[in-house]
Amino acid sequence: MKHTAARTYRAVHWATTRLQEGLEEAKRRPDRGDISTTTVIIWVAAVTGAVLIAGTIAIVISKYNGKLTGL
């Protein structure tokens, strides 16, 4: 379970850092174009959904690990 939390933290940290870097780059080079609010919302929702799905799968596997061994 600790590994899942660490991986989730790393994924969220990476996504947050990446988003901040992108926003800083857009401020430095305004001619690059604006990031639309809709695009940001879609990316945040996609990353959040992926993290939730991965977390749920990890929890289910860890909970039923003993029962799944014989399959």
Side-chain angles (χ1 to χ4, degrees):
M1 190 68 161
K2 291 181 184 179
H3 297 299
T4 304
R7 287 181 186 163
T8 303
Y9 173 77
R10 282 195 301 267
V12 170
H13 182 264
W14 176 84
T16 304
T17 304
R18 189 75 179 108
L19 180 61
Q20 287 175 345
E21 289 172 355
L23 292 174
E24 289 172 8
E25 178 69 18
K27 285 180 185 177
R28 281 195 304 268
R29 295 179 25 195
D31 60 332
R32 195 182 115 185
D34 292 336
I35 300 173
S36 74
T37 305
T38 306
T39 303
V40 173
I41 291 170
I42 290 170
W43 273 101
V44 169
V47 169
T48 302
V51 168
L52 288 174
I53 290 169
T56 302
I57 290 171
I59 289 170
V60 169
I61 287 175
S62 67
K63 183 176 180 180
Y64 294 106
N65 196 21
K67 296 178 182 176
L68 292 174
T69 314
L71 295 178

